[in-house]
Amino acid sequence: MIPIRTGQEIEKLKRAGRALKEVFETVGTLIRPGITTLEINAEIEKKIFSLGATAPCKGYHGYPAAACISTDDIVVHGIPSLKVLKNGEIVSVDIVLKLDGYCADATRTYAVGEISPEKQRLIDVTRKCFYNGVAKIKDGARLGDAQHAIQLTAELAGYGVVRAMTGHGIGKNMHEDPVIENYGRAGTGPTLKAGMCLAIEPMITMGDWNVGIDRDGWTCRTADGLPAAHYENTVLVTANGAEILTE
Ligand code: MF3
Ligand code: CO
């Protein structure tokens, strides 16, 4: 069952979204060669708490940090560590926060220093996947319409769509119904209704879409070692479209 949010709940989701936007303003100032992912995570956690919010990722099935910070071939769920960001890498920062009982979830992929045009194109197309997907969202549309638009955008650009990880509904919990694959057929899947809140998050690979999980049980990498990008926002379905709450 996909929850429909009304009145106060929507206000709280919007407030959580605005708080997460503020956290990302801080993240944007931190990304540079030489900083460790652990240092970035510490600043994120501090910012989340300073806003009166909490970090639901921390402790989620034993996950040890507030944020997931994933470089180059790491698709998602990179655990903050002493790893130092290097010039030319790309880094995806994925953050969930909970404010007054409601969650917001977003991810940005950043360039560390100077990156290759190939990596920049991967980041740009991944954002485009998100926007083309969201453009299909409105009351009465089918979820598959958005999923298909994401897949088409990625594959026309020559990229892969990760199958093993998905987007999701979001609200009182960071993961709610429905599961949102980044591929699918238009005209299929649940019918969207105004008040549904969704985390749309294309995870796009430069090469093949197969991934593997490291022995830490979290770190998800491309099998071929080529880079991946990730772009995510929390969006609210409305009568004639979608409102992006985290951007
Ligand atoms: N932010 C991720 C998502 O989009 C969840 C992170 S998994 C956790 O679903 F372990 F870090 F919580
Ligand atoms: Co998410």
Side-chain angles (χ1 to χ4, degrees):
M1 225 264 306
I2 307 174
I4 309 282
R5 308 296 176 187
T6 56
Q8 267 304 107
E9 292 188 291
I10 290 178
E11 277 320 302
K12 289 182 180 181
L13 285 163
K14 287 184 178 177
R15 257 181 257 140
R18 281 196 294 267
L20 187 51
K21 267 194 285 194
E22 267 195 62
V23 176
F24 272 101
E25 280 165 24
T26 302
V27 177
T29 67
L30 294 171
I31 304 298
R32 55 176 167 75
I35 193 167
T36 67
T37 57
L38 205 54
E39 287 171 299
I40 297 167
N41 180 74
E43 291 301 319
I44 290 168
E45 191 169 333
K46 207 160 61 176
K47 183 72 182 178
I48 291 172
F49 290 148
S50 80
L51 294 166
T54 57
C57 287
K58 198 170 179 174
Y60 178 81
H61 293 285
Y63 187 78
C68 300
I69 306 184
S70 307
T71 50
D72 275 0
D73 64 316
I74 304 179
V75 181
V76 288
H77 302 166
I79 300 175
S81 70
L82 295 174
K83 189 234 155 15
V84 173
L85 294 188
K86 290 200 298 273
N87 185 61
E89 287 182 323
I90 58 175
V91 60
S92 302
V93 181
D94 184 351
I95 308 171
V96 185
L97 71 66
K98 190 170 195 173
L99 182 66
D100 199 10
Y102 289 83
C103 298
D105 186 356
T107 306
R108 302 285 179 261
T109 300
Y110 298 91
V112 183
E114 293 272 316
I115 61 170
S116 68
E118 289 78 15
K119 284 183 173 177
Q120 188 59 55
R121 179 172 177 268
L122 177 66
I123 292 175
D124 294 344
V125 170
T126 302
R127 289 187 71 200
K128 205 166 117 199
C129 288
F130 170 83
Y131 289 113
N132 288 351
V134 166
K136 300 290 181 190
I137 294 178
K138 64 176 181 188
D139 186 278
R142 305 287 289 273
L143 186 58
D145 302 347
Q147 295 178 181
H148 178 69
I150 292 169
Q151 179 178 14
L152 198 64
T153 306
E155 292 180 354
L156 284 176
Y159 294 146
V161 172
V162 172
R163 307 297 202 263
M165 300 288 167
T166 68
H168 48 92
I170 181 167
K172 291 183 180 173
N173 297 302
M174 72 170 160
H175 293 151
E176 297 190 353
D177 276 349
V179 167
I180 306 176
E181 289 160 339
N182 290 301
Y183 59 94
R185 291 198 349 256
T188 67
T191 299
L192 301 176
K193 294 277 163 238
M196 289 178 177
C197 195
L198 310 172
I200 305 291
E201 50 177 317
M203 289 152 267
I204 306 300
T205 59
M206 195 179 279
D208 188 81
W209 51 262
N210 274 296
V211 298
I213 308 290
D214 284 3
R215 293 183 64 176
D216 61 20
W218 287 102
T219 311
C220 171
R221 298 177 191 269
T222 58
D224 63 12
L226 289 173
H230 186 188
Y231 195 76
E232 174 179 29
N233 284 298
T234 299
V235 310
L236 183 68
V237 182
T238 65
N240 352 308
E243 190 177 340
I244 302 175
L245 305 185
T246 46
E247 174 181 75

